[in-house]
Amino acid sequence: MSAARPSNATLVLLASLYCAQGLPSGLIAHSLPVLLRQHGVDLALIGLLKLLALPWLLKVLWAPWIDRLASPRLGHHRGWILPLQGTVILCVAGLALLAPQTLFGAGLWLLLGLLLLVNLAAATQDVATDGLTVRLLPERWRGLGNSLQVGGYKTGMIISGSGLLLLIDPLGWNLGVGLIAGLLLLLTWPIWRFPERRLLPFRPALAETTAGPGLLLRHYRGLLAQPGMLAWLAVVLTFKLGDSLGSPMIKPMLVDQGWSTGELGQLTLASSLAGIGGALLGGLLYARLGALRSLLLFGALQAIGIAAMALLVGAGGQVGLVYAIALFEQVADGMSTVALFAAMMRLCRPEHEGADFTLQASAQLLLAGLVGASSGVLAKALGYGGLFVGAGVVGMLVLGLVLAYFLRPGSRRSLSEA
C-alpha cells in the first residue's frame, strides 16, 4: 500500500465510523445513569449498566469469523458494518419512540435488553472497523488514523453524554434521543458510499482455510507464533499500567476536597476536549517520529501527567492549577493511546487485521480494568499522593519493556521501521 497521506474521504469515513461508536457509548455510560436515578431507579439496577459492556470484552471470541466471512455483495468489512450499524440505529430509534416513564419503570428490562443488543452490535462492528482501518492506512499514517479513532469516539460520547443531558430539559427524551438516532443515520452515509469491493477486495487466500469451530484456536495461535509477539504483548499489557492505576482516583480526590458535581462536569468536558486535541497531535507526531520514539516520548509524558496529580493533594482550591494538570494529563493520555494503538496495528496480519487488533486491545483493557479496580485500595493504603507518584514511577519503568522489544535480537527490521 502507498505511504501517501490518506485522502480526505478516507479520513471522513474513519472519523464517521468511530464517532458512530461513541454515540451509544456516551448514552449508556453518561446520560442513562443520571436519567435512571432521576426517575427513582434503584442503584443496584443502575449498576447493571456496567455488565451491558461485556460484549466489548468478549468480542475477541468471535472476532476471527469477522475476518474470515465476507459479503459478496457489500464487501468484507462493509458487509459487517452496515447491518450492525443499522441494528444500533433501529435500537436507538426504538428508545426514542417509547415514553421515558415506560422505559424507566415497567419497561426497564426492555431498556436493558435493547442496550445489550446495542453493545453487542457496536462491539462486533468495532472489530470490522478496526480491520478496515488497518487495511486503509499505511504504517506512517496509522497514528493519524488512531487520532480519528480516539477523537471520533470521544466526540460521539460528548454529544450523547453531556450534550444529551443539556438537551433533555428543553427538548424532552423522545426528541433528544431521536436526534442521536438521526445523527447515527447521517454518519452511515460515508460507509454506504465507500466502494470497498473495488478498493480493498477480500483476499480469502490469506485468511483461514475453514471457518469451523477450530478457527478461534488457529487464528490466535498463528498470531502468537509471530516473531517477538510475546514480547510485544508485554508492552501492550503494561504500557498504560500507570495511567490505569492512578486515573480512577482523580475525581474522588477532588470530591474529597469539596468539588461539586457541576464543577466536576465542567472539568470532565474540558478534559475530554483536551484528550481529543492530544489524540490529534499524537497522530500527527507519530507520522514524523515513528513507533519507538512516539511510544517512549508519549509514554513519559503520560507518566509525568499522572504523577503530577500528587501536586493537587490539598490544593483543590487552586482551580487554575487543577485545570492545568488535568488538561496536561488528558493531552498526554490521548497522545500515548494513539501511539500504542498505531503500534498495535503493525502486528496485524493481512486478512486477520480485525481479530489481531482486537486481541491486543482486549488484553490491554482487561489488565487495565483489573489494575484500576485496585486503585481505591492502594489510595487508602498510600494516600492520594503516594498512589499518583507510584503510578508515575510504574509508567516510567514500563518504558524499559518498549526499548527491550525494539532492541531485541532479530528486531533490526522493526527498529528501522520505528
Side-chain angles (χ1 to χ4, degrees), residues 231-232 234-236 238-241 292 295-297 299-300 302-303 392-408 411 415:
W232 173 247
V235 173
V236 170
T238 59
F239 186 70
K240 302 285 289 182
L241 210 56
L292 173 58
L295 288 168
L296 291 177
L297 175 59
Q302 173 185 258
V393 171
V394 170
M396 284 293 189
L397 290 176
V398 300
L399 297 181
L401 291 175
V402 176
L403 269 176
Y405 169 75
F406 283 99
L407 297 176
R408 75 192 192 284
S411 65
L415 191 57

Side-chain angles (χ1 to χ4, degrees), residues 363-379:
Q364 189 268 325
L365 287 173
L366 177 61
L367 186 61
L370 294 174
V371 169
S374 68
S375 61
V377 176
L378 290 173

Side-chain angles (χ1 to χ4, degrees), residues 185-207:
L185 185 61
L186 180 64
L187 292 171
T188 306
W189 180 251
I191 188 64
W192 177 264
R193 298 290 299 166
F194 178 59
E196 183 183 9
R197 287 191 301 165
R198 176 170 59 84
L199 297 180
L200 296 175
F202 183 46
R203 300 167 293 179
L206 298 176

Side-chain angles (χ1 to χ4, degrees), residues 27-393:
L27 174 66
I28 296 170
H30 297 306
S31 294
L32 281 175
V34 174
L35 298 171
L36 286 167
R37 191 57 182 162
Q38 288 177 345
H39 283 78
V41 176
D42 186 80
L43 290 175
L45 287 174
I46 295 176
L48 287 178
L49 291 176
K50 294 292 184 183
L51 290 178
L52 300 181
L54 274 177
W56 288 90
L57 182 61
L58 299 178
K59 64 182 179 178
V60 68
L61 299 177
W62 57 83
W65 280 270
I66 297 170
D67 280 338
R68 178 65 183 82
L69 303 175
S71 166
R73 188 170 68 88
L74 296 177
H76 183 194
H77 304 95
R78 186 169 171 267
W80 286 95
I81 293 170
L82 282 173
L84 289 168
Q85 190 153 313
T87 300
V88 173
I89 293 170
L90 289 175
C91 289
V92 175
L95 293 176
L97 293 174
L98 296 171
Q101 294 80 5
T102 301
L103 281 175
F104 303 147
L108 182 60
W109 291 104
L110 172 62
L111 170 66
L112 296 178
L114 286 173
L115 295 179
L116 179 60
L117 182 58
V118 165
N119 270 325
L120 180 61
T124 305
Q125 176 190 332
D126 183 55
V127 178
T129 300
D130 288 338
L132 177 63
T133 303
V134 176
R135 287 204 65 190
L136 275 174
L137 300 177
E139 160 64 20
R140 181 185 178 191
W141 295 103
R142 285 175 179 165
L144 179 58
N146 281 283
S147 296
L148 297 174
Q149 176 180 2
V150 175
Y153 188 84
K154 286 190 174 184
T155 299
M157 289 196 73
I158 290 172
I159 292 172
S160 59
S162 304
L164 182 60
L165 288 176
L166 291 172
L167 290 175
I168 283 291
D169 284 340
L171 299 183
W173 164 267
N174 301 97
L175 183 54
V177 177
L179 289 174
I180 300 296
L183 183 55
L184 278 167
L185 185 61
L186 180 64
L187 292 171
T188 306
W189 180 251
I191 188 64
W192 177 264
R193 298 290 299 166
F194 178 59
E196 183 183 9
R197 287 191 301 165
R198 176 170 59 84
L199 297 180
L200 296 175
F202 183 46
R203 300 167 293 179
L206 298 176
E208 308 293 338
T209 54
T210 61
L215 175 61
L216 184 68
L217 179 60
R218 290 195 306 273
H219 191 113
Y220 291 128
R221 187 166 55 193
L223 173 64
L224 296 175
Q226 289 192 99
M229 190 63 206
L230 294 180
W232 173 247
L233 282 179
V235 173
V236 170
L237 288 170
T238 59
F239 186 70
K240 302 285 289 182
L241 210 56
D243 179 69
S244 302
L245 191 60
S247 59
M249 289 296 107
I250 295 174
K251 287 180 182 176
M253 175 189 67
L254 293 175
V255 169
D256 288 349
Q257 296 184 68
W259 278 59
S260 68
T261 303
E263 291 169 333
L264 286 172
Q266 293 173 6
L267 178 64
T268 300
L269 178 58
S271 298
S272 297
L273 294 173
I276 293 173
L280 294 174
L281 177 61
L284 293 172
L285 290 177
Y286 184 93
R288 293 180 175 271
L289 300 176
L292 173 58
R293 285 178 290 180
S294 294
L295 288 168
L296 291 177
L297 175 59
F298 303 164
L301 291 175
Q302 173 185 258
I304 292 169
I306 201 66
M309 287 292 168
L311 298 174
L312 300 182
V313 178
Q318 302 180 43
V319 177
L321 180 64
V322 172
Y323 267 83
I325 293 178
L327 296 185
F328 175 82
E329 190 273 334
Q330 277 299 294
V331 169
D333 177 65
M335 295 172 73
S336 63
T337 300
V338 162
L340 178 63
F341 285 3
M344 283 160 51
M345 289 181 172
R346 303 167 77 244
L347 276 293
C348 296
R349 299 164 293 163
E351 293 304 339
H352 298 73
E353 296 92 350
D356 284 0
F357 187 87
T358 296
L359 176 66
Q360 297 175 72
S362 296
Q364 189 268 325
L365 287 173
L366 177 61
L367 186 61
L370 294 174
V371 169
S374 68
S375 61
V377 176
L378 290 173
K380 290 180 66 176
L382 304 175
Y384 287 126
L387 172 69
F388 292 132
V389 171
V393 171

